[in-house]
Amino acid sequence: MKNTPQFSKGTLAGTFETLSQSLWREIPGVYEIDSGKPGPTIGITLHTHGNEPSGLAIFHYFTQIDALVGRILKGKVIFVLNNIEATRKYLQAIDATEQKRYRFVDVNINRLPYDLFSSDNQNYYEVRRVIELIPVWKQFEIALDVHSTTLPCPPMIIAPPYFDRSLIRGIPAQIILSNITLVQIGKPAIGFYGKSEIQRSLFGIETGSHESPESFVCGIASVEALLVNAGVLEKSQETDPVPQMSYSDYFVASSVVFPDTSYSLTRIFGNFERVEKGVILATGTGLNIVMPFDGHTLFCKEHLKPLSLSEEVMFIAKPAVEFVL
């Protein structure tokens, strides 16, 4: 990265207007950079949730500060603003409390109904947007879905089982959560990306907390590293060789979902807290919910009850497998 740019609210708002009005075959919010030479089609999806502004910082950087046009060696890069309306409402919000409401408008794009195409779902903005974007997403041969977190959190890679590790070299995240999309409620947007035979090349990243400059820098560096690893960009001569890094891969084996409103956690559990098999996690009018194996709790809540029964209370991961890349 040539420098550490600053991103004001005005810059992000202007970037949103540019990207939201960009058209690809009449589909808004899609911006393609094509080298004109054979190579992979790489998707960079931004603002799957409206309140994750590192996505706009990434797009601004790669179109206005260190533009990909003229740097791209082969293939094409497609930036997609997944949730236009939630992002618009987030940027127009008058305070932080209102901003939190615009993670989505009607339906969380990362918790889509399995019967997506049912007529019962067509009143939901996000469902209509997903159906509109599927022709774009299906082109991806490699993809990175960019996210951020409400609470401060180290950067984390969200990956399918047995993902292509060569694609993450140099990405500034050493924690990997694999398999989580297979144990969550509903279907995530990335589940519609690409073709079934290339699922190993589709992953996400949590860049850090929503508004932090460090999160923006992490997102930019992650996209740059991915494009270099894919052979689409040449490695900068100004950059030192990428050192070997150690990684902790947590296989997410299950999630905790409350069956009804009577249930409550027995206490507040910490992210990556080690919990022994058999520990009671929650109680209610039915059977206790217990830790199924020795492992770790992830994406824990700040409260004893979730805001909605339609979301997971936490995820449960196996002890980490360490490796060096």
Side-chain angles (χ1 to χ4, degrees):
M1 195 181 305
K2 291 183 176 179
N3 49 49
T4 303
Q6 301 297 313
F7 298 98
S8 66
K9 186 174 181 180
T11 297
L12 295 178
T15 300
F16 166 77
E17 292 301 327
T18 299
L19 181 52
S20 65
Q21 294 174 28
S22 176
L23 296 176
W24 180 89
R25 300 181 187 176
E26 304 306 313
I27 299 174
V30 182
Y31 188 95
E32 178 182 276
I33 300 172
D34 191 344
S35 69
K37 299 177 182 178
T41 296
I42 300 178
I44 308 296
T45 52
L46 317 170
H47 278 275
T48 295
H49 298 122
N51 63 338
E52 298 174 342
S54 58
L56 290 176
I58 289 168
F59 181 73
H60 180 80
Y61 181 86
F62 285 107
T63 56
Q64 301 299 317
I65 297 176
D66 197 5
L68 290 180
V69 174
R71 291 208 292 145
I72 185 171
L73 301 174
K74 61 182 181 179
K76 62 181 69 172
V77 178
I78 303 176
F79 290 95
V80 183
L81 183 63
N82 275 352
N83 198 325
I84 293 177
E85 288 309 310
T87 306
R88 188 191 312 279
K89 292 176 182 296
Y90 162 80
L91 291 169
Q92 293 174 346
I94 59 174
D95 56 35
T97 300
E98 187 178 354
Q99 284 179 334
K100 290 179 181 178
R101 292 204 292 268
Y102 294 118
R103 184 169 174 80
F104 53 88
V105 177
D106 295 316
V107 178
N108 186 337
I109 290 186
N110 264 354
R111 299 293 185 276
L112 291 165
Y114 289 111
D115 61 340
L116 181 77
F117 299 97
S118 166
S119 59
D120 294 339
N121 295 318
Q122 301 311 303
N123 290 329
Y124 300 136
Y125 165 73
E126 279 82 4
V127 169
R128 297 195 303 273
R129 177 62 173 162
V130 165
I131 292 172
E132 180 178 52
L133 286 176
I134 284 176
V136 183
W137 291 345
K138 287 300 182 186
Q139 297 182 84
F140 299 163
E141 297 170 88
I142 298 169
L144 179 64
D145 189 29
V146 180
H147 292 269
S148 53
T149 57
T150 301
L151 299 176
C153 188
M156 296 181 291
I157 293 167
I158 311 298
Y162 316 113
F163 71 102
D164 184 352
R165 290 178 175 177
S166 69
L167 293 174
I168 69 169
R169 184 168 176 79
I171 289 178
Q174 293 175 268
I175 296 173
I176 298 167
L177 305 182
S178 56
N179 198 60
I180 191 169
T181 58
L182 300 183
V183 299
Q184 67 168 63
I185 296 172
K187 187 169 182 175
I190 204 166
F192 293 93
Y193 293 9
K195 301 179 177 64
S196 59
E197 64 269 22
I198 60 159
Q199 292 298 307
R200 293 175 63 249
S201 301
L202 312 173
F203 60 101
I205 187 165
E206 300 280 358
T207 61
S209 56
H210 295 321
E211 307 282 349
S212 74
E214 293 81 9
S215 178
F216 295 175
V217 170
C218 176
I220 292 165
S222 298
V223 171
E224 180 88 14
L226 174 63
L227 298 183
V228 169
N229 294 337
V232 167
L233 285 186
E234 197 167 49
K235 186 169 173 52
S236 172
Q237 297 300 313
E238 302 172 6
T239 306
D240 294 332
V242 177
Q244 283 194 323
M245 294 171 59
S246 60
Y247 296 85
S248 300
D249 188 345
Y250 294 85
F251 185 87
V252 183
S254 64
S255 60
V256 174
V257 179
F258 285 173
D260 58 56
T261 57
S262 73
Y263 278 81
S264 178
L265 290 171
T266 54
R267 63 177 177 84
I268 302 298
F269 291 86
N271 286 323
F272 298 98
E273 180 179 342
R274 182 66 183 262
V275 181
E276 293 183 354
K277 179 180 179 179
V279 168
I280 298 175
L281 302 175
T283 58
T285 55
L287 296 175
N288 292 340
I289 298 175
V290 302
M291 189 72 174
F293 46 77
D294 292 344
H296 300 268
T297 52
L298 302 173
F299 291 111
C300 304
K301 306 301 182 187
E302 295 180 280
H303 309 286
L304 297 177
K305 290 178 176 285
L307 296 177
S308 169
L309 293 179
S310 65
E311 62 183 36
E312 302 87 359
V313 180
M314 67 176 76
F315 290 89
I316 307 295
K318 296 281 190 180
V321 174
E322 309 292 334
F323 68 93
V324 176
L325 184 65

